[in-house]
Amino acid sequence: MYGNTSVTAEEAKNLNMLQDDPEKLAIFEARIERGEKIEPGDWMPEGYRKQLIRMIEQHAHSEIVGALPEGTWITRSPGFKRKLALIAKVQDEIGHGQLLYSAAETLGKTREEMLNDLLSGKSKYSNVFNYPAKTWADVAVIGFLVDGAAIVNQLINSKGSYGPYCRALDRICFEESFHLKQGHDNFVYLATGTPQQREMLQEALNRWYRPLLHFFGPSDKTSVHSEKLMKWKIKLASNDDMRNQFLDQYVPKIYELGLTLPDENLKKNPETNKWEFSDPDWDEFYRVVNGGGPCNEERLEVRRYAEEQGRWVRQALMKPNESYVTPLA
Ligand code: FAQ
């Protein structure tokens, strides 16, 4: 046991706790156990702070990079109403990034440092945004299924232990529910449309199936951080449980529209109540999240361009004696 806590010395080492005061740690753990929210000024173990920064920062990056695949379709949206809805959705995603960067900043990492880490490739963001949105059907699949997957994850995590992150997630989930309606409407429209529209949707679905399975992270057996995150109630369900919840909710909706998923082994095991599927190629997952996906370079290039082009605006907004820390400078 480490101090008066429930962790062993070995676990404490893994959790970066050794520099933490055991008495304070015990009080902290008891608060987590009671379901209290931890707030920015409260004492927290270094490992908790670091894990939260890592996770919230990656989430924030995912929102702003996540606006890019759909963003390329704004000028090509089929019709004015769909264009308006897509503009509003993309704008919301950027707003989510802002909320999440603010939540991460409460833990002591500046926004400039986070953006530097995104632009240099040091920090990860969600795998799904490193694939192209080739047709309008991709916009339907992203809005319905990527947003659907994000809601499964965020609703669960919004009950977590860190106040600023949970409050940001509450607001994000509220807005995501509109995105889901927009995505569902596009999805059903194409699924019940002309043979060409159905074919285009099925083709997009086939391409997104594996990235969607990857979205919830590696299996519980290989997940690196789950144990620590769940111990501190930052994450309230494991990667496999979240993936299972997603399949539970969305596979029937896809099948009821007469569409298929490209995996002959995908089925729910009635005994375990869990979905089984073919190996989704975890090598591809690691390649994509480590910078080797089809669009990683393009996504970061666009972000670097936006950073560069917006610099004069940020500088103009600074007070005369303030200086803006230039990312990558
Ligand atoms: N993509 O040990 P674990 C959205 C990394 S928001 C990339 O299992 P953990 C809204 C992981 O970071 C989407 N990397 O990790 C939207 C770690 O690497 P590290 C984002 C991934 O943290 C919709 C390594 O693999 N949502 O879509 C992924 O316990 C439409 C080992 O993994 C969030 O970020 C991945 N999918 O569990 C926007 C939610 N999975 O850091 C626009 C918050 C894992 O050691 C349009 N995050 N990795 O270098 C989480 O819930 C968790 O961080 C997980 C991963 C579940 C993503």
Side-chain angles (χ1 to χ4, degrees), residues 167-198:
R167 289 189 286 275
L169 289 180
D170 280 341
R171 162 119 182 240
I172 289 171
C173 285
F174 184 64
E175 294 185 355
E176 297 281 31
S177 63
F178 286 98
H179 302 171
L180 189 69
K181 284 188 199 305
Q182 180 253 9
H184 186 240
D185 187 62
N186 279 338
F187 197 90
V188 172
Y189 188 86
L190 294 179
T192 56
T194 64
Q196 287 94 330
Q197 285 171 322
R198 274 183 75 82

Side-chain angles (χ1 to χ4, degrees), residues 54-55 58-59 62-63 66-67 70 89 93 124-129 142 146-147 150 153-154 157 165 176 214-218 222-226 229 235 239 242 285-286 289:
R54 181 191 67 82
M55 196 169 120
Q58 287 182 11
H59 192 169
S62 304
E63 299 282 354
E70 288 171 290
K89 177 191 193 289
E93 307 295 3
K124 291 190 172 68
Y125 57 87
S126 186
N127 68 301
V128 280
F129 304 120
I142 296 172
V146 175
D147 279 89
N153 169 289
Q154 290 162 178
N157 288 346
Y165 187 41
E176 297 281 31
H214 294 160
F215 180 90
F216 296 93
T222 45
S223 168
V224 182
H225 304 290
S226 284
L229 294 176
K235 200 160 129 177
N239 297 358
M242 286 191 279
F285 166 80
Y286 287 109
V289 304

Side-chain angles (χ1 to χ4, degrees), residues 55-295:
M55 196 169 120
I56 304 174
E57 176 182 356
Q58 287 182 11
H59 192 169
H61 296 331
S62 304
E63 299 282 354
I64 58 165
V65 178
L68 299 177
E70 288 171 290
T72 61
W73 278 94
I74 290 175
T75 54
R76 297 174 286 169
S77 299
F80 187 60
K81 281 189 179 161
R82 296 212 185 272
K83 189 194 289 274
L84 276 183
L86 187 60
I87 291 172
K89 177 191 193 289
V90 166
Q91 180 179 296
D92 281 354
E93 307 295 3
I94 301 295
H96 297 171
Q98 299 284 3
L99 283 173
L100 291 162
Y101 284 126
S102 299
E105 278 182 317
T106 64
L107 293 150
K109 185 165 180 178
T110 66
R111 193 169 295 222
E112 286 75 27
E113 286 170 320
M114 290 187 260
L115 287 172
N116 259 340
D117 287 349
L118 168 67
L119 298 182
S120 71
K122 187 175 166 201
S123 182
K124 291 190 172 68
Y125 57 87
S126 186
N127 68 301
V128 280
F129 304 120
N130 291 306
Y131 293 89
K134 290 184 179 173
T135 69
W136 176 252
D138 291 62
V139 175
V141 173
I142 296 172
F144 184 38
L145 298 175
V146 175
D147 279 89
I151 290 175
V152 168
N153 169 289
Q154 290 162 178
L155 269 180
I156 293 172
N157 288 346
S158 69
K159 310 285 179 295
S161 61
Y162 189 57
Y165 187 41
C166 297
R167 289 189 286 275
L169 289 180
D170 280 341
R171 162 119 182 240
I172 289 171
C173 285
F174 184 64
E175 294 185 355
E176 297 281 31
S177 63
F178 286 98
H179 302 171
L180 189 69
K181 284 188 199 305
Q182 180 253 9
H184 186 240
D185 187 62
N186 279 338
F187 197 90
V188 172
Y189 188 86
L190 294 179
T192 56
T194 64
Q196 287 94 330
Q197 285 171 322
R198 274 183 75 82
E199 201 182 307
M200 182 171 75
L201 183 62
Q202 183 63 63
E203 189 272 333
L205 200 50
N206 294 348
R207 281 186 284 110
W208 283 92
Y209 171 67
R210 280 205 314 213
L212 278 163
L213 287 180
H214 294 160
F215 180 90
F216 296 93
S219 80
D220 292 352
K221 286 193 201 100
T222 45
S223 168
V224 182
H225 304 290
S226 284
E227 204 187 323
K228 302 168 204 171
L229 294 176
M230 290 179 75
K231 185 179 202 105
W232 280 326
K233 296 190 183 164
I234 293 172
K235 200 160 129 177
L236 292 177
S238 74
N239 297 358
D240 285 340
D241 285 346
M242 286 191 279
R243 192 168 10 250
N244 205 59
Q245 273 198 33
F246 170 72
L247 293 170
D248 256 346
Q249 286 179 37
Y250 288 90
V251 172
K253 291 185 170 70
I254 292 166
Y255 287 168
E256 81 190 7
L257 287 164
L259 297 158
T260 58
L261 289 164
D263 182 356
E264 59 189 21
N265 295 317
L266 180 71
K267 62 173 182 320
K268 191 162 181 178
N269 181 329
E271 278 165 26
T272 59
N273 226 12
K274 304 261 183 235
W275 285 87
E276 291 168 359
F277 40 82
S278 308
D279 174 10
D281 190 354
W282 290 110
D283 288 346
E284 175 181 328
F285 166 80
Y286 287 109
R287 200 166 51 248
V288 170
V289 304
N290 286 309
C295 297

